[in-house]
Amino acid sequence: MTDGADSSGGGLFSRELEQARPGAGRRRGLVVGAILLVLLGLWLWMRGSEGGALRAMSPVQRQALYQETWRDQRAKCLGPERSDSPDQCQHRAEFLLRFPQCDVACRTELAPSFSAPVP
């Protein structure tokens, strides 16, 4: 099986045949680690933020949430019977601004919900 050759000197699968550069493995490990950290950070950012949660929803779910939130905003903050506090109204208005459906007309209608000008 060994053809009479001394197997102590290394064979076909021996690591001695591989001429590794000094520090190449460490560098490769650092690059892979950095890439994994960036990917993890992006994943956490997408999942952790409200905007990421909105982007993760299906368009039908996002539209339903947008309409329900608008209904609440109009009834509790913009109508004649305002039942929510100014802080609650502002928080809900800020949430509505994160939806892609919130256009110029949406921002204009939300303006009274902010104590400062809308960005």
Side-chain angles (χ1 to χ4, degrees), residues 1-7:
M1 198 157 215
T2 61
D3 293 280
D6 184 13
S7 63

Side-chain angles (χ1 to χ4, degrees), residues 2 18 30 32 39 45 57 63-64 77 84 89-90 93 103 106:
T2 61
E18 185 180 314
L30 288 173
V32 169
L39 290 174
W45 176 76
M57 296 174 101
Q63 182 65 26
C77 300
D84 281 357
C89 293
Q90 183 170 341
D103 56 6
C106 165

Side-chain angles (χ1 to χ4, degrees), residues 4-99:
D6 184 13
S7 63
S8 65
L12 180 61
F13 300 106
S14 174
R15 289 193 173 263
E16 293 175 12
L17 294 178
E18 185 180 314
Q19 297 295 323
R21 294 180 309 217
R26 188 171 126 184
R27 226 176 328 200
R28 184 178 11 205
L30 288 173
V31 169
V32 169
I35 291 170
L36 288 175
L37 282 175
V38 167
L39 290 174
L40 177 65
L42 285 173
W43 183 79
L44 288 172
W45 176 76
M46 292 287 292
R47 290 310 215 176
S49 69
E50 286 179 347
L54 289 175
R55 286 187 296 274
M57 296 174 101
S58 73
V60 172
Q61 290 173 321
R62 190 172 41 245
Q63 182 65 26
L65 179 60
Y66 177 74
Q67 289 174 346
E68 181 181 339
T69 307
W70 249 120
R71 223 177 354 262
D72 286 346
Q73 186 72 2
R74 285 184 178 122
K76 298 176 181 178
C77 300
L78 301 173
E81 296 180 20
R82 297 177 183 177
S83 59
D84 281 357
S85 71
D87 286 342
Q88 290 171 316
C89 293
Q90 183 170 341
H91 180 72
R92 191 180 299 111
E94 289 169 354
F95 181 63
L96 282 165
L97 290 175
R98 290 186 174 95
F99 283 85

